Amino acid sequence: MINSQKVLVTGITGQDGANMCEYLLRIPGYKIYGMVRRSSNPNFKNCEAFINNDRFQLVYGDLTDSTSLDNLVREIQPDYFINFAANSFVGCSWDMPQQVFNTNALGVINCLEAIKKFQPECRFYSAGSSEEFGDVDYFPQDMKHPIKPRSPYGAAKAAARHIVKVYRESYEMYAVHGILFNHEGTKRGEEFVTRKITKGVARIYHAIKNKKSFESIKLGNLNAKRDWSDSEDFVEGVWLMLNQDKPRDFVLASGQTHTIADFVNCAFAHAGIKGEWIEAGEDVHGQYVPIPQSAKFIHKETNKPLVEIDPKFFRPAEVNLLLGDPTEAITKLGWKPKIPFDKLVKKMVAWDINEAEKKADST
Ligand code: NAP
Ligand code: G4F
């Protein structure tokens, strides 16, 4: 391969890292080094499309081990370093705040230091989050919105944002920290609410189809609002952020927001399962009435609960409303989200129904 550029991507067993590898391998001229950490039980399910590609090479490292990052940057001499690795689950960040800070904040310093020492021309992407906005002051949120995190996860990402700015300004590095709102897809981890719902819908779909009993899906706060997009759209936006004349942070978002209850409604509708909320209260004069903890989403045909609320899934502090403003990414990067909410939910439900079918066939 002549004159190929080298891209080091972390977090490739996760959603965004895997989608980024697939995206870059569709463009000729890049060699991808995908970093994984050592695991006693490796899971390369998200990497099936590229793990054997000639332009892809697996490398070992850990964000919390600066030696491993130094060695990788010194040996590979990457042109781009895209850091998607993190403990990305907000819900568990109260249980392990130090591990989250070590990985999501100090880990970013380890990346920046490795680049500064061994390949200062390398362009760096840091995976920032709308969780940094937290207890929001206004909507839609843009880059000017104050940083007001509500979780150890959000605080660690906010620290990463500051440190990226400091390195960019101190050492003239091309380092950016994209503020990405929620993005999902068929590679999404199963503990996140969207995938938990679509996997649950698929399980119930097959139970109903085979006239078997089923357990309801247990969820927490159904009133929180999120700005959901497709991860496959976002990796393109990340790549555009890395290829500007000057480094600058951008928001990637859809510009629309939905409650978790809306996601539930949409997911069951796409599976052809008719449900209704009971004890949920009615919208009065178009005003949203929050769903109380006693509410249930029941199957219209059998009256059996499809979704119930379990207080164990509530968080010590909640980010109630996320709604991003992607205007700058659209006008300055030329980026555009292609997959709207309804199509995203449909795609995830169809995928999980098919996966559940394959599993049933093989047992
Ligand atoms: P994900 O699916 O949870 O993937 C996280 C990846 O990080 C996994 O490959 C994981 O590897 C790896 N990892 C965790 N700790 C590591 C460590 N110490 N060293 C090396 N690798 C480590 O997350 P995602 O949804 O793709 O998100 C990608 C990034 O964007 C994350 O930084 C996340 O915080 C951020 N983000 C995500 C969203 C979203 O809505 N998806 C929105 C804003 C920001 P294992 O397989 O070994 O666990
Ligand atoms: O799907 P979630 O766990 O995602 P959350 O907390 O918004 O974080 C995701 O997006 C961030 C960007 O805004 C990323 F930085 C982060 O890495 C991650 O990808 O929860 C979404 C909402 C929350 O309000 C939560 O309280 O759903 C609510 N929820 C209600 N029931 C639930 C559940 N969340 C989960 N995970 N599980 C539930 O049973």
Side-chain angles (χ1 to χ4, degrees), residues 30-51:
Y30 295 102
K31 165 104 193 218
I32 318 300
Y33 296 83
M35 189 185 95
V36 292
R37 55 180 171 167
R38 195 264 161 188
S39 165
S40 52
N41 191 9
N43 182 0
F44 289 108
K45 195 167 188 300
N46 282 343
C47 309
E48 278 164 8
F50 56 84
I51 195 113

CSV table of all heavy atoms in Angstrom, one decimal, residues 30-51:
chain,number,residue,atom,x,y,z
A,30,TYR,N,-6.5,4.2,3.8
A,30,TYR,CA,-6.3,4.2,5.2
A,30,TYR,C,-6.0,2.8,5.8
A,30,TYR,O,-6.6,1.9,5.4
A,30,TYR,CB,-7.5,4.8,6.0
A,30,TYR,CG,-7.7,6.2,5.6
A,30,TYR,CD1,-8.7,6.6,4.8
A,30,TYR,CD2,-6.9,7.2,6.2
A,30,TYR,CE1,-8.9,7.9,4.4
A,30,TYR,CE2,-7.0,8.6,5.8
A,30,TYR,CZ,-8.1,8.9,4.9
A,30,TYR,OH,-8.2,10.2,4.5
A,31,LYS,N,-5.0,2.8,6.6
A,31,LYS,CA,-4.7,1.6,7.4
A,31,LYS,C,-5.2,1.8,8.8
A,31,LYS,O,-4.8,2.8,9.4
A,31,LYS,CB,-3.2,1.3,7.4
A,31,LYS,CG,-2.7,0.3,8.4
A,31,LYS,CD,-2.4,-1.1,7.8
A,31,LYS,CE,-2.3,-2.1,8.8
A,31,LYS,NZ,-1.3,-3.1,8.7
A,32,ILE,N,-6.0,0.9,9.3
A,32,ILE,CA,-6.6,1.1,10.7
A,32,ILE,C,-5.9,0.2,11.7
A,32,ILE,O,-5.8,-1.0,11.5
A,32,ILE,CB,-8.1,0.7,10.6
A,32,ILE,CG1,-8.8,1.2,9.4
A,32,ILE,CG2,-8.8,1.2,11.9
A,32,ILE,CD1,-8.8,2.7,9.2
A,33,TYR,N,-5.5,0.8,12.8
A,33,TYR,CA,-5.0,0.0,13.9
A,33,TYR,C,-6.1,0.1,15.0
A,33,TYR,O,-6.4,1.2,15.5
A,33,TYR,CB,-3.7,0.6,14.4
A,33,TYR,CG,-2.6,0.5,13.4
A,33,TYR,CD1,-2.5,1.5,12.4
A,33,TYR,CD2,-1.7,-0.5,13.4
A,33,TYR,CE1,-1.5,1.4,11.4
A,33,TYR,CE2,-0.7,-0.6,12.4
A,33,TYR,CZ,-0.6,0.3,11.4
A,33,TYR,OH,0.4,0.2,10.5
A,34,GLY,N,-6.7,-1.0,15.3
A,34,GLY,CA,-7.8,-1.0,16.3
A,34,GLY,C,-7.3,-1.5,17.6
A,34,GLY,O,-6.8,-2.7,17.7
A,35,MET,N,-7.4,-0.6,18.6
A,35,MET,CA,-6.9,-1.0,19.9
A,35,MET,C,-8.0,-1.7,20.8
A,35,MET,O,-9.1,-1.2,20.9
A,35,MET,CB,-6.4,0.3,20.7
A,35,MET,CG,-5.7,-0.1,21.9
A,35,MET,SD,-5.2,1.4,22.9
A,35,MET,CE,-6.6,1.5,24.0
A,36,VAL,N,-7.6,-2.8,21.4
A,36,VAL,CA,-8.4,-3.5,22.3
A,36,VAL,C,-7.6,-3.7,23.6
A,36,VAL,O,-6.4,-3.7,23.6
A,36,VAL,CB,-8.9,-4.9,21.8
A,36,VAL,CG1,-9.9,-4.7,20.7
A,36,VAL,CG2,-7.8,-5.8,21.5
A,37,ARG,N,-8.4,-3.8,24.7
A,37,ARG,CA,-7.7,-4.1,26.0
A,37,ARG,C,-7.8,-5.6,26.2
A,37,ARG,O,-8.7,-6.3,25.7
A,37,ARG,CB,-8.3,-3.4,27.2
A,37,ARG,CG,-9.8,-3.6,27.3
A,37,ARG,CD,-10.3,-2.8,28.5
A,37,ARG,NE,-11.7,-2.8,28.5
A,37,ARG,CZ,-12.5,-2.4,29.6
A,37,ARG,NH1,-11.9,-2.0,30.7
A,37,ARG,NH2,-13.8,-2.5,29.5
A,38,ARG,N,-6.9,-6.2,27.0
A,38,ARG,CA,-6.9,-7.6,27.2
A,38,ARG,C,-8.1,-8.0,28.0
A,38,ARG,O,-8.5,-7.3,29.0
A,38,ARG,CB,-5.6,-7.9,28.0
A,38,ARG,CG,-5.3,-9.4,28.0
A,38,ARG,CD,-5.8,-10.1,29.3
A,38,ARG,NE,-5.9,-11.5,29.1
A,38,ARG,CZ,-6.5,-12.3,30.1
A,38,ARG,NH1,-6.9,-11.8,31.2
A,38,ARG,NH2,-6.5,-13.6,29.9
A,39,SER,N,-8.8,-9.1,27.6
A,39,SER,CA,-9.9,-9.5,28.3
A,39,SER,C,-9.9,-11.0,28.4
A,39,SER,O,-9.4,-11.7,27.5
A,39,SER,CB,-11.2,-9.1,27.5
A,39,SER,OG,-12.3,-9.8,28.0
A,40,SER,N,-10.4,-11.6,29.6
A,40,SER,CA,-10.4,-13.1,29.7
A,40,SER,C,-11.4,-13.7,28.8
A,40,SER,O,-11.4,-14.9,28.6
A,40,SER,CB,-10.5,-13.4,31.2
A,40,SER,OG,-11.7,-12.8,31.7
A,41,ASN,N,-12.4,-12.8,28.4
A,41,ASN,CA,-13.5,-13.4,27.6
A,41,ASN,C,-13.7,-12.4,26.4
A,41,ASN,O,-14.7,-11.6,26.5
A,41,ASN,CB,-14.7,-13.5,28.5
A,41,ASN,CG,-15.8,-14.3,27.8
A,41,ASN,OD1,-15.6,-14.9,26.8
A,41,ASN,ND2,-17.0,-14.3,28.4
A,42,PRO,N,-12.9,-12.4,25.4
A,42,PRO,CA,-13.0,-11.3,24.4
A,42,PRO,C,-14.3,-11.4,23.6
A,42,PRO,O,-14.8,-12.5,23.4
A,42,PRO,CB,-11.8,-11.7,23.4
A,42,PRO,CG,-11.0,-12.6,24.2
A,42,PRO,CD,-11.8,-13.3,25.2
A,43,ASN,N,-14.8,-10.2,23.2
A,43,ASN,CA,-16.1,-10.2,22.5
A,43,ASN,C,-15.9,-9.3,21.2
A,43,ASN,O,-15.8,-8.1,21.3
A,43,ASN,CB,-17.2,-9.6,23.3
A,43,ASN,CG,-18.5,-9.6,22.6
A,43,ASN,OD1,-18.6,-10.0,21.4
A,43,ASN,ND2,-19.5,-9.1,23.2
A,44,PHE,N,-15.7,-10.0,20.1
A,44,PHE,CA,-15.5,-9.3,18.8
A,44,PHE,C,-16.7,-9.3,17.9
A,44,PHE,O,-16.6,-9.1,16.7
A,44,PHE,CB,-14.2,-9.9,18.1
A,44,PHE,CG,-12.9,-9.6,18.8
A,44,PHE,CD1,-12.3,-10.6,19.5
A,44,PHE,CD2,-12.4,-8.3,18.8
A,44,PHE,CE1,-11.1,-10.3,20.1
A,44,PHE,CE2,-11.2,-8.0,19.5
A,44,PHE,CZ,-10.5,-9.0,20.1
A,45,LYS,N,-17.9,-9.4,18.6
A,45,LYS,CA,-19.1,-9.4,17.8
A,45,LYS,C,-19.3,-8.2,16.9
A,45,LYS,O,-19.7,-8.3,15.7
A,45,LYS,CB,-20.3,-9.6,18.7
A,45,LYS,CG,-21.6,-10.0,18.1
A,45,LYS,CD,-22.6,-10.4,19.1
A,45,LYS,CE,-23.9,-11.0,18.5
A,45,LYS,NZ,-24.6,-10.2,17.5
A,46,ASN,N,-18.9,-7.0,17.4
A,46,ASN,CA,-19.1,-5.8,16.6
A,46,ASN,C,-18.0,-5.6,15.6
A,46,ASN,O,-18.1,-4.7,14.8
A,46,ASN,CB,-19.0,-4.6,17.6
A,46,ASN,CG,-20.4,-4.4,18.3
A,46,ASN,OD1,-21.4,-4.9,17.9
A,46,ASN,ND2,-20.3,-3.6,19.4
A,47,CYS,N,-17.0,-6.5,15.6
A,47,CYS,CA,-15.9,-6.3,14.7
A,47,CYS,C,-15.9,-7.3,13.5
A,47,CYS,O,-14.9,-7.4,12.7
A,47,CYS,CB,-14.5,-6.5,15.5
A,47,CYS,SG,-14.5,-5.5,17.0
A,48,GLU,N,-16.9,-8.1,13.4
A,48,GLU,CA,-16.9,-9.2,12.4
A,48,GLU,C,-16.7,-8.7,11.0
A,48,GLU,O,-16.1,-9.3,10.2
A,48,GLU,CB,-18.3,-10.0,12.5
A,48,GLU,CG,-18.3,-11.0,13.6
A,48,GLU,CD,-19.7,-11.5,14.0
A,48,GLU,OE1,-20.6,-11.2,13.2
A,48,GLU,OE2,-19.7,-12.2,15.0
A,49,ALA,N,-17.2,-7.5,10.7
A,49,ALA,CA,-17.1,-7.0,9.3
A,49,ALA,C,-15.7,-6.6,8.9
A,49,ALA,O,-15.4,-6.4,7.7
A,49,ALA,CB,-18.1,-5.8,9.1
A,50,PHE,N,-14.8,-6.4,9.9
A,50,PHE,CA,-13.5,-5.8,9.5
A,50,PHE,C,-12.3,-6.6,10.1
A,50,PHE,O,-11.1,-6.3,9.7
A,50,PHE,CB,-13.4,-4.3,9.8
A,50,PHE,CG,-13.7,-4.0,11.2
A,50,PHE,CD1,-12.7,-4.1,12.2
A,50,PHE,CD2,-14.9,-3.6,11.6
A,50,PHE,CE1,-12.9,-3.7,13.5
A,50,PHE,CE2,-15.2,-3.3,13.0
A,50,PHE,CZ,-14.2,-3.3,13.9
A,51,ILE,N,-12.5,-7.5,11.0
A,51,ILE,CA,-11.4,-8.0,11.8
A,51,ILE,C,-10.4,-8.7,10.9
A,51,ILE,O,-9.2,-8.7,11.1
A,51,ILE,CB,-11.9,-8.9,12.9
A,51,ILE,CG1,-10.8,-9.2,13.9
A,51,ILE,CG2,-12.5,-10.2,12.4
A,51,ILE,CD1,-11.0,-8.6,15.3
